[in-house]
Amino acid sequence: GARGAGGGGGAGEALRFPALWDEVVEQKREAVAVAKAEAEKAAALAAAENSAEEEAKRKAEELEEDGQAAAKKPKKSKKKEEEEARRRRREEEEAKKAAKAKAPEPPKVPKVNTTSIPRPKMSDEQVDALAALYQHRAAVDTRVLPSVCFYTIENSRDGLNTASISANGKLLAAGMQDATVALWDVSNRLPAHQTAPVPTKRYGEATARMVTEEKDWEGGSVWCRPWDVMRGHTGSVYASAITHDDRFVATASEDGTVRLWCTLTRSYLLSFKGHNNPVWDVAWSPEGFYVATASYDGTARLWSIDHHYPLRMFVGHSADVDCVAFHPNCNYIATGGTDRTVRVWDAATGTLVRLMQGHVTGVTAVAFSPDGKRVVSGGESGEIMQWDFGQGRMMSNLVGHSDTVTGLDYSSGSSPLLVSSSVDCTVRLWAASGAGDVQYRDADKGAGEEK
């Protein structure tokens, strides 16, 4: 549930407020690098001049000694003295050139990459529909905490691997161990119980039972059956993601493929094949055009819905990549892996731009803040770390979970809350007002405990 709500928040911020801060950060870095290069160049020239002065001084001393020795010897002719003077000048010039050649060259400042990843053009109706997702949401912060809605999937027989909720909260997609994807339309619930026959009624109350036949579905129940069950994968489904407009669902599977499904036609559209091992995670870009995947083969890949092959391959993790997330401006992709590192990649060039180290266990969840200035990651030991994306340094370590963090996301708004889920059976809401001032509340304890 946290994935769907928070992911939409990032998209809204990116559309309403273009995230140009990264360009400002890069410009500042370039200015600092240029200033540093100029300082090193000036220091090198100063060293060369000092060396030249010392060489000239040495030559002058030698000349003085030669002059004293020459005073004792018979005087040379004027022509020979002029030749010796020219020779000394040549030697001095050669010494200066040699000193400059030995001086280290100033480092070359890399050019800032200003190329942005191509983004699809959205119609006015699409922009208005996307903006409407956030205009009608209630603002939440540490003083006004949100309510928490839980959905329980019964009779999964320990076969539920993942679940994601759409940005508007209407669709729920669950990946199952039996290679199927179950889709619920929460706004239009299909009942899953049947009222018991009249002879079994007691004391005016009717008992209820689970049914499996299509003819047995009947209204008036709080239980609801899947809107559709999509089949096509040949292995367990480990991750699912829904676009902001509820049109497409992407699923990642043990069979090494990522499949796209259309909710309008309830059909399979496209399969992304390229990973050599199971795919652990999948994420949509804010506009729903690009797809990022993380795999056991140690790579993350970037895809688009108009190509069946990967556009970029991100290689650098020394073990499997467990999680992936898009930056709100779509130009960066964050990945976390079993090698205990968080890496941020340039989506346009495929190069590594940030390497964040600090986790003592594998990284299992990663997310960007709505403004794109922070990266948050969770590990197998329950730790949650917040990172400054611009500086690449850790800002705070959020302690509270006692087991693996399974999901991270931010709410939308000017003061977003961070929500985390864990294997310790808790959902926690966090608000970080500083590097060491962190609060959390447990969703499973009502109002919860504040620290």
Side-chain angles (χ1 to χ4, degrees), residues 25 55 74 108 271 365 403:
V25 172
E55 185 67 19
K108 296 181 180 179
S271 178
D403 208 332

Side-chain angles (χ1 to χ4, degrees), residues 232-245:
H233 284 293
T234 58
S236 300
V237 180
Y238 292 131
S240 62
I242 307 173
T243 55
H244 67 86
D245 55 3

Side-chain angles (χ1 to χ4, degrees), residues 167-184:
N168 57 15
K170 292 183 178 180
L171 291 183
L172 186 148
M176 312 302 290
Q177 191 75 17
D178 61 1
T180 62
V181 180
L183 190 65
W184 280 268

Side-chain angles (χ1 to χ4, degrees), residues 59 61-71 87-88:
K59 292 291 184 181
E61 292 176 353
E62 292 179 355
L63 290 175
E64 185 177 355
E65 293 176 356
D66 293 343
Q68 293 176 358
R87 180 179 58 79
R88 293 190 186 100

Side-chain angles (χ1 to χ4, degrees), residues 89-146:
R89 284 195 296 270
R90 285 196 301 269
E91 291 177 354
E92 291 176 0
E93 291 175 358
E94 292 175 357
K96 289 182 180 180
K97 290 180 180 179
K100 290 182 179 180
K102 292 180 181 180
E105 295 183 0
K108 296 181 180 179
V109 180
K111 294 182 180 179
V112 177
N113 179 27
T114 58
T115 304
S116 297
I117 188 171
R119 304 175 76 171
K121 185 177 180 180
M122 302 179 68
S123 64
D124 294 339
E125 292 78 9
Q126 290 175 320
V127 173
D128 293 340
L130 184 56
L133 291 176
Y134 310 102
Q135 290 175 352
H136 302 292
R137 288 186 176 181
V140 296
D141 54 27
T142 54
R143 295 168 296 179
V144 184
L145 292 176

